[in-house]
Amino acid sequence: MNIRREYNSPNCILILDGFGDESFTSDDPKLFSVVINAECHFLLKSIKLHGGKVFLEKLTEIVNNYAQQLLSGIVHHQANSHQEERITIEKVPNSQLHRLTHYPNPTSSQESIILDLNILELFDLVDTLDQFLIDTRTLPELSSRIKPLSRHHRHIEGGSAAKRVLPLLIGLVGLVITGVGIYLMPIPKVHRPSNKSLNHSSDLIVPQASTSPIR
Amino acid sequence: MSTNISIMPDKVSAEALILNILPDYPTCDQVCLLHLQQKIDLILMSLEAVEMGSSDFIFDIAKHLGLENILKNRLILWRLRCTNSWRRSYTHETIKMEEAKAFVIITSYRAKQLTVQIRQLLLAHQQMLEKNLPFSTHYMLSDYLDQFQSYFRSRMNCRRTKVDWYLEQEDELNNLALSLLSQVLFSTGTLGMQRLWTSLFDGAI
C-alpha cells in the first residue's frame, strides 16, 4: 500500500513516498517502512532536492552534523564516499550563507544542485528533518542521532601535534639564539679609576687632624 | 504536615521527570565546564536582549515547569550566572548538571515563545547584509544589538583579554550577539533543546 508523509516548516517541505508494513494492518497511522522517493522542497527558492533512501540518510546525517557544528563551533567532519551520491554543507566564505550541494550518483545523468541557504532556511531544513526523525511511525530505523563529539575531535580541531608544538619550538629557538648572542658579546671592560684622579687633592675633603673622633 | 509529606515527593519526581528529557553525559572536564557556564550565561543574555527587559521570565518558567527548587530566588540565579568566567563578579563556583539542564530547558521554552521576534531579527540581519545597509538603520535589530552591547559592557570584566577584544571591536560584539541569536533560534526547533544541550558537550566526552 502506498503511503505519503509530509513534514512542514515555513521555508521547507519534506515529502516521503513509500510503502507501509502490511503485517501491522490495525495500526493507525500505518508504519512507513520502505521509502521510494524523498523530496525536499525549498519554497522561497522553488527548488527541490530528491532521491531515494541513500539521499534521505545522507541528508539527515549531514544536516544534523552541520546544525551541531553551528551550535558548538566544533567542526563535524562530513563522511562521504566518492562512489555514491554525496551531500555537503559548508559556510560560504565572507557571507552569512550556507551552501548545500547535492552530488547525485556518478552513474546517473543528473546534475549537481547547489543551494545557498540563509540561517532561517537552514534552520527550517533542520527542523523539518527533525520532525521526520522523531516520527516513530516513519522509517523508525532513521532516528535522531544527536551525540556530542569526543575529546579526540577537540584535539583535532586544535590542529595536528606538529602545529601545536610549533609555538613552543619557536620560543625555544628564540631563547637559544638570544643566549648565543649574549654569549658572543664582548665582556665590557672595567675602567678602574686612575691614581691621578684619586690624588686630586682639590676634590677631596680632608678631615682636620684636630678633630676628635666621635664616641 | 501530612500535606507536605505527600506533596514533596511529587514535586521532586516532576522535577526529575523534566530534567530527564536531557541525557546525562558521563564526564565533563574543567575546560568543558567553563565553556558550558559561559555559553549558558551568554545565551540567556541574548534572550534578555530580545525580551528588552528583565530576567523575570526565568522564574515564571521555572515555576511553570516545576523547577523552582533549583532556581529559588534572584540571589541563586545571580550566583549561577556568575559562574561565567567573563563576568565582573565571577564566583569561581561550578554549576551542577541539574542546574545547567534547568537553564537549557528554560532557554528553549522561552525561545519557542519568542520565535517570531527571533526570526524577524535574523531576517532583518539578512536583509541589511543583502542591501549593504548598516544594522542601525533597522530599529528592531539596532535595539537588540544596543541592548546586548549594554548588558555585555555592564556585566563583563574588561580585564579579560577576550572581553576587552570584544569591547574594542563593536562589529565583533555584534557578530557575537547575532551568532548567539541564531543558536537561540536552533533551540526553538522540534529537537532544539536536545541540540543545544548536546552542543555544550561537543569535544568533551
Side-chain angles (χ1 to χ4, degrees), chain B residues 83-144:
Chain B
T83 56
N84 173 6
S85 58
W86 283 3
R87 285 255 183 180
R88 280 177 201 270
S89 42
Y90 174 42
T91 54
H92 294 267
E93 285 181 38
T94 304
I95 203 167
K96 289 180 196 155
M97 280 302 117
E98 64 198 40
E99 292 162 343
K101 277 186 179 182
F103 274 129
V104 168
I105 291 167
I106 290 168
T107 300
S108 178
Y109 192 90
R110 186 59 184 155
K112 274 184 188 170
Q113 294 173 337
L114 296 171
T115 304
V116 175
Q117 287 97 313
I118 295 166
R119 288 185 76 103
Q120 279 174 342
L121 285 167
L122 288 168
L123 184 65
H125 173 228
Q126 196 64 40
Q127 287 169 342
M128 294 297 108
L129 285 177
E130 282 166 10
K131 292 174 185 168
N132 210 11
L133 289 170
F135 299 154
S136 57
T137 54
H138 193 283
Y139 75 100
M140 260 184 82
L141 190 59
S142 68
D143 278 355
Y144 166 73

Side-chain angles (χ1 to χ4, degrees), chain A residues 3-24:
Chain A
I3 300 180
R4 169 170 280 205
R5 295 268 157 87
E6 279 191 27
Y7 305 91
N8 301 301
S9 59
N11 289 313
C12 184
I13 299 175
L14 178 71
I15 301 171
L16 304 178
D17 288 305
F19 298 113
D21 194 335
E22 297 297 332
S23 55
F24 300 99

Side-chain angles (χ1 to χ4, degrees), chain A residues 46-60:
Chain A
S46 307
I47 292 179
K48 68 172 182 184
L49 300 179
H50 64 98
K53 192 180 178 187
V54 175
F55 161 77
L56 190 61
E57 282 174 352
K58 291 269 171 206
L59 187 66
T60 49

Side-chain angles (χ1 to χ4, degrees), chain A residues 64 71-72 76 124 127 149, chain B residues 39 119 190 195 202-203 205:
Chain A
N64 171 53
L71 279 167
S72 71
H76 287 237
D124 287 339
D127 194 39
L149 287 177
Chain B
K39 187 76 172 281
R119 288 185 76 103
T190 308
R195 286 198 177 281
D202 243 1
I205 301 301

Side-chain angles (χ1 to χ4, degrees), chain A residues 119-178:
Chain A
I119 193 75
L120 291 173
E121 290 169 318
L122 178 68
F123 166 70
D124 287 339
L125 173 64
V126 173
D127 194 39
T128 309
L129 291 171
D130 281 350
Q131 289 172 32
F132 152 63
L133 288 174
I134 61 159
D135 184 355
T136 52
R137 306 303 298 164
T138 307
L139 300 174
E141 70 272 19
L142 285 181
S143 57
S144 158
R145 288 174 221 159
I146 307 172
K147 282 181 190 162
L149 287 177
S150 67
R151 272 179 214 186
H152 171 69
H153 285 83
R154 187 169 69 191
H155 293 317
I156 288 174
E157 192 61 16
S160 63
K163 209 173 171 182
R164 277 180 278 144
V165 167
L166 195 64
L168 178 69
L169 280 178
I170 292 170
L172 280 175
V173 169
L175 188 67
V176 168
I177 291 171
T178 314

Side-chain angles (χ1 to χ4, degrees), chain B residues 43-61:
Chain B
I43 281 196
L44 280 171
M45 212 166 83
S46 168
L47 259 184
E48 283 175 273
V50 176
E51 293 253 6
M52 296 283 167
S54 67
S55 52
D56 285 346
F57 71 91
I58 295 177
F59 297 108
D60 296 341
I61 296 171

Side-chain angles (χ1 to χ4, degrees), chain B residues 2-14 69:
Chain B
S2 60
T3 319
N4 284 342
I5 291 166
S6 64
I7 286 172
M8 281 309 284
D10 284 351
K11 275 195 168 184
V12 171
S13 63
N69 280 339

